[in-house]
Amino acid sequence: MTATPEPQFPDILGSSFKDFLAAAEQDLAGHRAELEVAENRVRGLRRRQRRARRRELLQSAPHAARAAAKYGLIAAGLIAFVAAIALLGTGQSGSIEFFIAGATAWSTAAVIPR
């Protein structure tokens, strides 16, 4: 394939059109540089937001773990007491151990700080 030659413009139009194209290309390069700076700024802000969110989650994790442990021990104590009462009601042995396990779970839950 042969390259198509550039259209012939009169000298006065050709030079001003080439100048216009050069100015437009420079303007475009300037806008691209501004865009790159803005994108880098946005990337930095997003990175900062992710770090802040991660730090917030890590600070709230011990509180959530304490709450889960506390409620889990309360539920385990309740289940142990229900099992102890059921064993006591049916006359089977082992109810004392369940009473002890329930009391231990509840006392441990009481000691966990809020």
Side-chain angles (χ1 to χ4, degrees):
M1 295 181 97
T2 60
T4 59
E6 290 188 29
Q8 296 295 322
F9 293 107
D11 284 341
I12 192 163
L13 289 177
S15 65
S16 63
F17 185 70
K18 287 180 184 179
D19 292 342
F20 171 75
L21 280 179
E25 287 173 352
Q26 284 181 341
D27 189 42
L28 178 63
H31 286 299
R32 284 184 178 160
E34 290 173 6
L35 179 64
E36 185 177 345
V37 168
E39 286 174 345
N40 288 338
R41 189 176 304 135
V42 166
R43 248 184 258 118
L45 287 173
R46 284 185 182 152
R47 188 179 313 120
R48 217 176 301 153
Q49 284 177 340
R50 281 193 308 265
R51 287 177 182 165
R53 178 68 179 145
R54 191 178 314 125
R55 189 171 35 253
E56 179 183 319
L57 287 174
L58 286 174
Q59 288 173 351
S60 67
H63 176 70
R66 282 193 305 265
K70 188 172 191 117
Y71 291 123
L73 285 169
I74 290 171
L78 181 64
I79 291 169
F81 270 109
V82 168
I85 291 172
L87 286 175
L88 190 63
T90 59
Q92 295 181 1
S93 63
S95 63
I96 294 294
E97 287 81 10
F98 278 104
F99 277 122
I100 292 171
T104 304
W106 279 355
S107 62
T108 305
V111 205
I112 295 177
R114 289 184 181 205

